[in-house]
Amino acid sequence: MGRKDASATQMPVDQYRKQIGKQDYKKTKSVLKATRLKAEAKKNTSGFRDAFLVVLAILFFVLCVYAFFYLNLSTEINLDSD
């Protein structure tokens, strides 16, 4: 009954995927290879960048704590000397 009509029409998402697949076939193999290598390189370097950012954040936090205590102790010493 209604099932034949429903299966005949494709969902918009499926049509969109099919169009994208057709566009990929239009690209040359060298372009596809370059795109794949670029994506792999980006994925591999993100680990180093993330580790560097974590270390940098920890150092910044320690520096802020050090500056806070340094400023608090230096003002107490100045008040005691007066």
Side-chain angles (χ1 to χ4, degrees), residues 32-71:
L32 291 174
K33 186 176 181 180
T35 305
R36 182 175 47 84
L37 290 174
K38 184 179 177 183
E40 286 177 1
K42 185 177 179 182
K43 185 170 52 171
N44 290 340
T45 58
S46 67
F48 295 116
R49 190 187 74 199
D50 291 344
F52 178 72
L53 288 176
V54 168
V55 169
L56 190 65
I58 292 171
L59 288 175
F60 180 74
F61 178 73
V62 169
L63 180 68
C64 287
V65 170
Y66 177 78
F68 174 75
F69 284 120
Y70 177 77
L71 292 174

Side-chain angles (χ1 to χ4, degrees), residues 74-82:
S74 65
T75 54
E76 288 178 12
I77 293 172
N78 288 340
L79 293 176
D80 291 338
S81 63
D82 289 340

